[in-house]
Amino acid sequence: MIRLHPTLLRGLVALTLIAAAALPLLAPNYYVQFASKAMLMGMVALSLNLVVGYGGLVSLCHAAFFGLAGYMLGFMTPESGGASFWLSLPVALLAVAVVAAIIGALSLRTRGIYFIMVTLAFGEMLFYLFHDTKIGGGSDGMYIHFKPEIALAGFPLIDLEKSSNFYWLVLAMLVGAILLMTAIVKSPFGHALQAARDNEKRALSLGFPVFRLRLVAFVVSAVIAGLAGYLSAAQFGFVAPQMLGWHLSATVLVMVVLGGMSSVLGPVIGAFALIGLEEILKSSFEHWKLIKGLIIIAIVFALPGGIRQLAELVLPRRGDEGPPAAGTPADGTPDPAIRRAEAPGTNPQAQTRGEFQHV
């Protein structure tokens, strides 16, 4: 696994953030809106990777959480103006969290292909709830004529009608989601989640509450996807049942695999790569979907670890050690959660209660 020098890593991160923040000042409005869309899809892929890459569970219902949050914004937006950002966003995320907790509590009782099928079924149930009923305009969807209002004591703080302001808000949300995901992955919770992914029976024997760990990860993942759906509905001013369909869930899963699983930034890279590839092919070829599929297949065969694997070919490393196994730190030692639980004289049950009492 590639390990950059801290100074070089901080420099790359700083340059990337500066370039991203300066985009609205340098690029035409079309590219600003396109970048906002790409970042929102990157946020959805980032959220799904917590379940797929770190939890080892393939979910096909994350588009339902994405679309549900968009519909919640539509329901709360009055005809005469924009909805309050401070009210509509928490309500939308709370609704997504409740639905995700119900779906997760039922789905996580299954494993493997059965988990995939159950999440797919729940996602399709929500899709047809909005498609076949009059809720939210039925199959025609519903328009959101005004973007949410960010105001304090009646004084507007940020005008989201300006594409540059909306872009900067999405950028801030994406950076916040990346920092949150990094903190989760590096925490004892994240280590335990990966330990359960690598060997569920072993994790259970050591006293880890695997079901609760996965349920919390599922809900957190859904909330981040809901945040992206809320902002996507605000950007385009329209929500439709297609936002909840399994096709979108499958597309996001492709982004995760394309960018690289078990990596925080990998899915974001995959989202930008897939959306950028589609944009280029659409303008150049008639049968662009066929070409896109062939390119994705070639990338998967050439880079099993995802596009992020290219970094290992061009960036300097620290040390010559080979890539560790999934869930294992670069020094080759077992996962920290299992290493602490197996330490002599420790009580796995007591340690679990101490580390995950908040779960």
Side-chain angles (χ1 to χ4, degrees), residues 223-299:
V223 169
I224 297 176
L227 173 61
Y230 175 96
L231 294 173
S232 180
Q235 178 184 13
F236 296 105
F238 179 77
V239 287
Q242 288 70 26
M243 292 178 64
L244 297 89
W246 72 271
H247 291 87
L248 180 58
S249 293
T251 300
V252 175
L253 184 59
V254 171
M255 294 175 181
V256 174
V257 176
L258 192 63
M261 295 186 292
S262 298
S263 167
V264 174
L265 290 179
V268 180
I269 297 173
F272 273 85
L274 184 61
I275 295 178
L277 178 64
E278 289 181 352
E279 192 69 15
I280 294 173
L281 295 178
K282 282 180 182 179
S283 59
S284 304
F285 302 96
E286 179 180 358
H287 303 290
W288 62 272
K289 290 187 177 181
L290 175 61
I291 300 174
K292 183 188 75 170
L294 294 174
I295 293 175
I296 292 175
I297 293 173
I299 293 175

Side-chain angles (χ1 to χ4, degrees), residues 107-141:
S107 303
L108 289 171
R109 301 184 185 278
T110 61
R111 296 290 182 272
I113 187 66
Y114 301 104
F115 178 82
I116 299 175
M117 296 304 296
V118 171
T119 55
L120 173 62
F122 275 116
E124 288 299 280
M125 286 170 59
L126 288 174
F127 167 80
Y128 284 109
L129 173 65
F130 288 96
H131 186 275
D132 293 350
T133 67
K134 297 300 181 180
I135 300 177
S139 59
D140 294 330

Side-chain angles (χ1 to χ4, degrees), residues 46 49 54 177-179 181-182 185 260 262-268:
L46 177 78
N49 191 44
Y54 294 101
I178 292 174
L179 294 176
M181 196 65 64
T182 302
V185 168
S262 298
S263 167
V264 174
L265 290 179
V268 180

Side-chain angles (χ1 to χ4, degrees), residues 20 23-42 147 160-168 170-171 231-232 234-237 272 275-276 279:
L23 179 65
L25 305 177
L26 304 174
N29 187 60
Y30 172 81
Y31 294 104
V32 174
Q33 294 182 347
F34 175 80
S36 299
K37 173 186 174 181
M39 287 191 294
L40 290 176
M41 295 310 300
K147 285 183 170 59
L160 296 182
E161 295 293 341
K162 295 182 178 179
S163 58
S164 58
N165 291 343
F166 187 85
Y167 170 89
W168 284 319
V170 173
L171 177 62
L231 294 173
S232 180
Q235 178 184 13
F236 296 105
F272 273 85
I275 295 178
E279 192 69 15

